[in-house]
Amino acid sequence: RGSAGPTAEEEEPLEGPPAVVHVSREECVQLVVGCANLDFRHEALLKGITSWLCEGRRHAELSAEEVASFLDSFSQLGYAQPLLRAALEHALLRVAPEMPPESCTRALQG
């Protein structure tokens, strides 16, 4: 009789970077906004998004609309990390003159 393999409870958790490291900027924004809209807070996924956003200069390439979306969505999810906060603050300072007043107000509340 052969072994059936491990059950879901016996499987080792996957190690390594999450699949989110392979998404585009637009997909990353859509993913975070979608998570916020669904009130879906998955720590590993949000940590992967934070890593993606903080890699290199990705946060510095965000548009004003994308910065506002990230700030609003992370705030709705109640997710904060020191590195994420620094990256989004840097992005916000860069694009603040381009943001409509209602986006600035919403961003500063988060």
Side-chain angles (χ1 to χ4, degrees):
R1 183 173 164 185
S3 172
T7 65
E9 293 82 25
E10 296 170 337
E11 286 186 29
E12 293 291 319
L14 296 176
E15 294 294 324
V20 75
V21 298
H22 303 291
V23 300
S24 69
R25 188 175 79 226
E26 294 82 10
E27 292 168 330
C28 196
V29 173
Q30 185 179 21
L31 181 60
V32 175
V33 170
C35 286
N37 288 341
L38 295 171
D39 195 25
F40 179 72
R41 183 182 164 129
H42 188 278
E43 291 293 323
L45 180 62
L46 294 174
K47 184 177 179 184
I49 292 168
T50 299
S51 295
W52 179 91
L53 186 62
C54 296
E55 183 177 310
R57 295 190 39 83
R58 286 183 175 151
H59 65 281
E61 298 168 354
L62 297 173
S63 69
E65 182 179 324
E66 291 168 333
V67 171
S69 293
F70 272 125
L71 288 167
D72 189 41
S73 296
F74 280 120
S75 176
Q76 284 182 42
L77 292 166
Y79 184 78
Q81 293 285 325
L83 187 58
L84 174 65
R85 181 180 177 137
L88 289 178
E89 284 176 354
H90 176 255
L92 179 60
L93 287 172
R94 192 182 55 76
V95 299
E98 304 166 27
M99 292 176 76
E102 64 274 2
S103 290
C104 288
T105 303
R106 198 174 66 234
L108 293 173
Q109 291 173 345

